[in-house]
Amino acid sequence: MKKLFTLACALLGMTSAVKAASVDDIAVCKHSYVLVMDEYTNNGTGSRTKGGLFGDGFFLDVTGGSVATNKGKSNPSEMVTPEEGEPYYRYGEAFAKKYADVGEHLNSLRIKNAQDVIAMKVTAKSKLIFLMQGNNTTGKSARIPKIAEDAKLEKVLNDAPGEDHPKVDAGYMYEWTAPDDKTIYIGSYNGDAFIGILIVEANEAPGTPSVKVGAQTYADGLWFKEVTCTPRDMVEEGSTESIPTVVTYTTDGSAPTAASPVYTAPIKCYANMAVKFQAFMDLGDGKPADDLIADGADNEANVNFSFNAPTINVDGANVTIESEYEGAVNYYKLGEGDYTKESNATLTESATVTAYSEIVNGSYATFETKTTTKDVYVLNPIKEKKTITASGEAVVDEEATATSTTGTIYKIDNGAITTDKMDFFVKNLEFAALANADANNAKYQVPAGQEAYIKMNNTNITFQVAEGDSVNVVVTCSKNSCKTLNEANDENVTTDRKCYVNVSGKTYGTDDITAQNEDGTDGNVIKFGLAAGTYTFQKYSGTGNILISSIEITPVEAGTVGISTVAAENNVDAPAYNLAGQKVNEGYKGIVIKNGKKFMVK
């Protein structure tokens, strides 16, 4: 008999704990800056992290949230001249010319009310320009940024859209100017809006030089970026006379002085660094002097290199790490273990493999690439009936209850499932109790008295069916899955109670959890079949969080017939298959079930 392992919820996370940043960690955006959301969202295919800094540390992802790939693109150079009388909300010729080199980018970062909020610190009179898409809404329903002094977006700084607000489509531009120095939080009015580019036009001191970091380039065996600086003339307040400037710079993080090198040509950088610039009034000889410093006319270029993660290749239990960069040294770790300097591994049990590479850039720097992860399965195929159930104790969630409008809220202490790690690979498992008061919960617990349920939120439970085999799967949910209960309206609820699970991208379930299945079982019991392959229970979106009481997997024995998934109704001549989708018994198309009885179909 195989040894059983209790998998506690607290031990199942596969992502390393990283200290989240806070508002205190945000750098003040005191200079003009262009934030391309693609760089943060990885072209809409990445993920957002609550408490993550991005955009050279000028922006904080306060709540985490979503990204997108299907919300159009923004391109400053696609100039649209407003017709007479049309609200000026698109790009003009001067704007298009100024930002032509920014290019086209996906509107990939979602902001949604106070759910997907980002924060930044701006200086007085700085203008924020959002290039975005607002789900093609208009008027009072227009989805535009909501800018506030707090993360809940209650102390709002900009006006809500009015009746005549123009359509917020993929070419929309929204502007807002900061009244003074402050920390601002950015969400949205009316729901989902998607930002492609956020331009900060800071109210900089006269003579502040403009700086730009060039593209990451590889030449002669080295990676580098070029930083260019454009000095600007300064005009003192109350004067119309332009005074040229000369700019000095440093690359060691210190503030430039008149004794620092004078900028004359692009600066090649071979490591992550901050290149700082300071303007001085040029009285004709091109030489800076301490008494000619232009107050506040400093700027900074943050040079950061970024390299793609290596590829994790899997062949059974054998793992190989490959990098696209010549000479890269690879590292991997299993689960929460330590990193190993190696490109190959043979696993003895399932694990999440995380890998990165090191790139040596001559004597200048050693870079770490982005990391990548992949689940590697080392599992015994299901050969006998396996049942997964949840255990744990429901206790009052004091924090959630304090803000609840529907009564007492419960959470699960000591949540766990009991199973064999060689039969199932489990990660990111969450547990939940029914949402409201005890009196209501009792009638929806399955079986009676069960307090802990598997919450199909980020759940991942993986198992294998061997080649030539098939299994029947029975998933039993709580009797109120996707239904919030309270005593006041419980008996009069008419809302559909849908109940679905997602298995490797395919959904199974019922549109009415209160109905009965063809075999007489309640609608909270989901039945389906699977043929050979590797399958994972995943998050199902669309009906809320499904609460799972148990998952039962039973191999279909040789020579027997599985339960058909074909709807019987009156069409008994329709082809039918076993739960695995395979035809059964020579001479028969399969079986169907009607009113709890099996019928063989010729």
Side-chain angles (χ1 to χ4, degrees), residues 259-323:
S260 300
V262 173
Y263 176 84
T264 57
I267 303 164
K268 278 190 175 182
C269 301
Y270 297 91
N272 295 336
M273 62 176 62
V275 184
K276 296 187 176 183
F277 299 88
Q278 175 63 56
F280 295 82
M281 289 180 283
D282 183 0
L283 299 185
D285 59 3
K287 295 181 179 179
D290 289 335
D291 59 348
L292 297 177
I293 192 169
D295 290 338
D298 60 295
N299 210 336
E300 182 174 326
N302 291 293
V303 180
N304 294 290
F305 289 80
S306 177
F307 296 88
N308 296 329
T311 300
I312 301 175
N313 300 307
V314 179
D315 181 11
N318 298 313
V319 176
T320 303
I321 315 298
E322 294 183 353
S323 174

Side-chain angles (χ1 to χ4, degrees), residues 73-337:
K73 299 177 180 180
S74 291
N75 188 342
S77 66
E78 292 182 348
M79 185 265 299
V80 177
T81 303
E83 298 179 0
E84 186 176 352
E86 180 182 4
Y88 183 81
Y89 67 95
R90 292 187 183 273
Y91 321 133
E93 186 174 1
F95 178 86
K97 182 178 180 180
K98 183 176 181 180
Y99 294 107
D101 61 348
V102 173
E104 182 178 75
H105 298 278
L106 292 172
N107 297 312
S108 60
L109 186 134
R110 184 180 83 162
I111 50 176
K112 182 179 181 181
N113 302 331
Q115 297 175 29
D116 292 347
V117 174
I118 61 175
M120 63 179 298
K121 294 178 180 178
V122 293
T123 56
K125 299 182 181 179
S126 290
K127 180 192 290 184
L128 272 58
I129 304 172
F130 298 83
L131 307 187
M132 56 182 291
Q133 196 258 30
N135 272 344
N136 302 309
T137 52
T138 188
K140 286 187 175 181
S141 299
R143 298 177 182 177
I144 64 171
K146 179 187 279 189
I147 303 168
E149 296 184 58
D150 63 307
K152 293 183 178 180
L153 306 186
E154 294 175 346
K155 301 176 181 178
V156 184
L157 297 168
N158 64 326
D159 294 331
E163 291 284 1
D164 60 349
H165 198 283
K167 187 176 182 180
V168 186
D169 59 10
Y172 185 77
M173 181 170 79
Y174 179 84
E175 297 182 1
W176 177 80
T177 300
D180 48 35
D181 295 354
K182 64 173 61 256
T183 298
I184 61 171
Y185 296 83
I186 304 168
S188 69
Y189 280 104
N190 304 316
D192 304 44
F194 299 85
I195 306 173
I197 302 167
L198 173 54
I199 298 171
V200 180
E201 292 188 344
N203 183 34
E204 297 172 319
T208 298
S210 64
V211 298
K212 180 180 178 181
V213 180
Q216 188 166 300
T217 305
Y218 185 74
D220 300 324
L222 292 172
W223 292 94
F224 66 90
K225 288 185 176 184
E226 283 193 342
V227 174
T228 55
C229 173
T230 304
R232 288 178 176 171
D233 291 353
M234 60 182 297
V235 178
E236 294 184 311
E237 189 173 351
S239 172
T240 58
E241 181 183 357
S242 294
I243 303 173
T245 62
V246 59
V247 176
T248 66
Y249 70 92
T250 60
T251 59
D252 61 1
S254 62
T257 66
S260 300
V262 173
Y263 176 84
T264 57
I267 303 164
K268 278 190 175 182
C269 301
Y270 297 91
N272 295 336
M273 62 176 62
V275 184
K276 296 187 176 183
F277 299 88
Q278 175 63 56
F280 295 82
M281 289 180 283
D282 183 0
L283 299 185
D285 59 3
K287 295 181 179 179
D290 289 335
D291 59 348
L292 297 177
I293 192 169
D295 290 338
D298 60 295
N299 210 336
E300 182 174 326
N302 291 293
V303 180
N304 294 290
F305 289 80
S306 177
F307 296 88
N308 296 329
T311 300
I312 301 175
N313 300 307
V314 179
D315 181 11
N318 298 313
V319 176
T320 303
I321 315 298
E322 294 183 353
S323 174
E324 64 184 88
Y325 305 107
E326 183 179 351
V329 178
N330 300 317
Y331 292 79
Y332 77 87
K333 70 175 182 177
L334 306 180
E336 293 298 294

Side-chain angles (χ1 to χ4, degrees), residues 40 53 124 188 264 284 339 370 425 428 430 433 469 495 540 571 578 592:
Y40 177 50
L53 288 172
S188 69
T264 57
Y339 277 104
K370 298 176 181 178
F425 176 52
N428 299 331
E430 293 186 39
D469 288 350
T495 305
Y540 176 72
N571 187 14
N578 67 8
V592 293

